[in-house]
Amino acid sequence: MLELIDSFQSDTASRLQRLHDAICRFDAATVKAEAHSVRGSARQMGADGLADLCQAIESSASHMEGPEQESQVCQAELRFTEVCNDMTAYANAKRAG
């Protein structure tokens, strides 16, 4: 389980950065694909709030303005930070036995 948490955290951080980059390039297809990937991973990890934000980003990728998308990605990053903190606390508790 601890390896899964580490993988989720690393992969999601990279995907959120790619979301920012895609928004700057007005690349709706990449925004949609990255948001979809984060959404699926977040749901599997029980991070439903993050998944919901990514679903909103994915659903509106083709018709949103850059600043609005960027704002949603920033919200997702904040939620991701909260999820990471919770997962790290869980992992530390497991390691401590």
Side-chain angles (χ1 to χ4, degrees):
M1 180 63 146
L2 301 179
E3 292 157 1
L4 186 60
I5 290 171
D6 290 341
S7 177
F8 169 76
Q9 290 176 340
S10 175
D11 182 64
T12 301
S14 296
R15 289 187 181 282
L16 289 171
Q17 182 57 54
R18 287 194 293 267
L19 265 172
H20 280 293
D21 295 344
I23 289 167
C24 289
R25 293 188 319 270
F26 298 99
D27 182 351
T30 300
V31 169
K32 187 173 182 173
E34 294 297 343
H36 178 81
S37 293
V38 174
R39 177 177 60 94
S41 296
R43 284 253 191 261
Q44 289 180 347
M45 296 299 289
D48 291 331
L50 176 58
D52 291 343
L53 284 167
C54 289
Q55 184 172 358
I57 294 166
E58 179 185 357
S59 296
S60 57
S62 61
H63 61 274
M64 286 181 64
E65 297 296 319
E68 186 178 345
Q69 283 180 319
E70 187 67 28
S71 175
Q72 285 189 321
V73 173
C74 287
Q75 290 175 24
E77 285 179 320
L78 289 173
R79 185 58 57 98
F80 175 60
T81 299
E82 293 170 0
V83 167
C84 286
N85 290 339
D86 291 344
M87 288 180 171
T88 298
Y90 172 84
N92 289 339
K94 284 294 191 184
R95 287 182 181 115

